[in-house]
Amino acid sequence: MRDLTESNLKMLAGSRSFERGRGYLDAVSGVEVGDGWISASVHGTERYEVELSLDGPGGLSGECDCPFGLEGNFCKHLVALGLTMLARPEGLPRQRKAAQDRAQDLDGWLSAQSKDELLALLREQLGEDRQLRRRLEVRAASARGDLAAVRARIRELLDIGPFAQYGYVEYADARAYADQAEQAVSAISALTGSGRAAEAIPLVREAMKLLAQAVESVDDSDGWLGQVGDGLADAHLDACRAASPDPGELAHWLVGHALGESGDDLTDIDPLDYEDVLGTEGMAALRKLAVEAWQANRRGWAEKYLMERLAKAGDDVDAVIAVHAADLAPNGHTHLVIARELDTARRRDEALDWAERGVRETQDLAAVDTALVDYLCDRYVQADRFADAVALRRDHFGARRTLLPYQQLRTAARAADCWPAERESALALLRADAEHRQQGRYGGPVLVDALLDDKDVDAAWHAATEGGAHDRQWLTLADQARATRPADTLAVYVRLAEPLTKETGNAVYEELVSLLLSIRDCHRRLGTPEEFTGYVTALRTAQKRKRNLMRLMDEHGL
């Protein structure tokens, strides 16, 4: 109990979840204290069951069935339960001692009962607890060697019928169905544990298919069935390890499952987890089947992924490259993936060759993967090949002619000490685009964006005046030129403010007030404050019904 402290709760949950947990103190109910654990219900968007473990090997820990908690996180609901218990510290030791006494009393009482009395008690419980009855029915069928009964029971457990309305399990019933389906996992694991692992293997594979079929008709928004699928994957691996099935047959099934041939895309099984079961013979068969599948469909995602996993597991970089090289993306992305694999293998010259090939083989440089261009330019700079970096940035800018490639060309050219010449050429292209009304990020000419980014305000103003500009560009221009062009920028601000006076909404009002502050500054610079006073007076008269606007103007002294 020493571990149950505010500092430990905050450390486990993090500051954000800890603070949010404070808001759930009134939502904690049904607190039960056991020997080493505390459980409760916490009512949030749903009712969640939480349990704190006090004496675990790692100290304080907890579990919650909320989505965040199911991912292994110490959530706000656990924080709420912990803080609730800390608020009544004097009662916790007493309650825990009482739980220990109850457990000892119960154990003593059960030990004193006769076999017939215990059977009667168990039968009574089976009449009330359907889940317990189902688990024991499967165990009984397994113990007497009735595999048909076990199979039938597992099919019943995975049947959505009792939970489905109109053939579909709604969100509210998905958890209950998942709890029932989880019993199928327990039944299969029990079969393996009883020494019948060879019989468990076909059963778990059938269960995987049934679960995959069921998920199509279940609103599994919280991922409950995914957890059941994980349980089935573990049960299959355990059964295979216990039964040592034929390596060739297992390899064939694993490859088929990885390629989706089993119809089960819910259970995530990694063939490499079975390396100890497959042995040398089975792994050879697995690789052979994977290669055959990939050769038959080199563009298949599953085939490529399986081949890549096997190649990486065997540290076979050339095989990894062969997989990627068989289906090169037209934008050079695959070339970049290969280059990075070669970098990892310390084969940097080959990596550079593949990156350069990716740029050469890209039919449309405007569509090239920009990460490939960045990678290649970085390599050029590292090798002091500044001219090559500039040439690539120049070509890329020439193909795309947007602000970002312009900025990247500027960076490369400055490093190579040739920006003035490159800038003139780049701006010439942008001037030609402006004449043809090619637009930039705000809808106006890229030329204006580039000149603004260069801090060449006068040139940008001239370009906007000659070729037009988007309102956002004009606003940026006005903000940057206000000190030197107060009369010109005043006209811009007034023009931009006019349409806002016809709109409503707090965001509009904030934008309008910002423009009014700029208009006031222009009048101050021009020495015409009385004109601004008249402008604002007329505006307030016309807009007086907009109370939020009036309040905002008052706050800014307008």
Side-chain angles (χ1 to χ4, degrees), residues 5 59 62 98 106 128 167 200 322 392 416 421 492 503 547 551 554:
T5 63
L106 178 59
E128 299 174 356
L392 180 54
V492 172
E503 300 180 27
R547 295 180 180 179
R551 176 185 55 76
D554 289 340

Side-chain angles (χ1 to χ4, degrees), residues 288-299:
K288 180 175 181 295
L289 290 166
V291 169
E292 290 174 353
W294 173 65
Q295 289 176 339
N297 183 19
R298 291 176 183 264
R299 294 192 173 186

Side-chain angles (χ1 to χ4, degrees), residues 509 543-552 554:
Y509 300 153
Q543 306 289 317
K544 61 183 178 182
R545 294 188 177 182
K546 297 177 180 177
R547 295 180 180 179
N548 285 352
L549 174 59
M550 295 298 103
R551 176 185 55 76
L552 199 59
D554 289 340

Side-chain angles (χ1 to χ4, degrees), residues 119-381:
L119 284 173
L121 183 64
L122 180 58
R123 290 188 182 107
E124 179 184 345
Q125 185 64 28
L126 290 175
E128 299 174 356
D129 190 334
R130 289 186 300 171
Q131 291 189 6
L132 176 62
R133 186 180 72 250
R134 287 169 179 159
R135 288 198 297 271
L136 293 183
E137 284 173 349
V138 174
R139 289 194 180 188
S142 175
R144 66 175 181 268
D146 190 349
L147 197 62
V150 175
R151 175 176 281 107
R153 202 73 192 95
I154 288 174
R155 287 176 176 173
E156 288 178 14
L157 291 171
L158 293 171
D159 180 19
I160 66 169
F163 302 89
Q165 293 183 352
Y166 310 109
Y168 189 79
V169 180
E170 300 292 342
Y171 174 80
D173 299 313
R175 174 68 185 276
Y177 170 72
D179 288 343
Q180 177 175 297
E182 190 66 46
Q183 295 176 41
V185 180
S186 300
I188 293 166
S189 297
L191 198 63
T192 297
S194 66
R196 308 188 66 177
E199 294 164 323
I201 292 174
L203 282 180
V204 71
R205 292 178 183 177
E206 181 179 354
M208 289 176 185
K209 291 183 180 179
L210 292 172
L211 184 66
Q213 293 168 6
V215 77
E216 298 296 328
S217 302
V218 179
D219 182 352
D220 189 35
S221 302
D222 289 338
W224 300 111
L225 298 190
Q227 295 180 61
V228 178
D230 291 342
L232 288 174
D234 292 340
H236 183 266
L237 179 56
D238 291 341
C240 288
R241 282 176 172 159
S244 299
D246 177 73
E249 185 279 331
L250 178 58
H252 188 275
W253 185 86
L254 288 170
V255 171
H257 186 277
L259 300 182
E261 295 173 1
S262 64
D264 171 23
D265 56 359
L266 182 66
T267 309
D268 186 18
I269 289 180
D270 187 346
L272 293 179
D273 289 341
Y274 290 75
E275 187 170 2
D276 58 327
V277 182
L278 290 166
T280 304
E281 177 188 348
M283 286 301 294
L286 183 71
R287 289 190 175 91
K288 180 175 181 295
L289 290 166
V291 169
E292 290 174 353
W294 173 65
Q295 289 176 339
N297 183 19
R298 291 176 183 264
R299 294 192 173 186
W301 180 89
E303 288 81 358
K304 288 170 59 179
Y305 179 74
L306 179 58
M307 274 295 296
E308 185 180 356
R309 288 281 294 121
L310 291 170
K312 285 187 175 181
D315 292 324
D316 190 345
V317 177
D318 290 316
V320 174
I321 292 171
V323 172
H324 291 302
D327 183 24
L328 295 170
N331 68 345
H333 173 73
T334 319
H335 297 78
L336 176 60
V337 172
I338 293 173
R340 286 173 172 164
E341 291 287 351
L342 288 165
D343 273 338
T344 302
R346 300 180 183 277
R347 293 159 61 174
R348 292 179 60 77
D349 289 343
E350 294 175 71
L352 181 60
D353 289 342
W354 269 100
E356 291 178 328
R357 176 181 164 186
V359 172
R360 287 196 307 271
E361 294 181 358
T362 299
Q363 295 180 355
D364 182 6
L365 199 57
V368 70
D369 186 345
T370 55
L372 174 61
V373 176
D374 293 342
Y375 169 90
L376 196 48
C377 285
D378 287 343
R379 287 294 307 273
Y380 286 152
V381 170

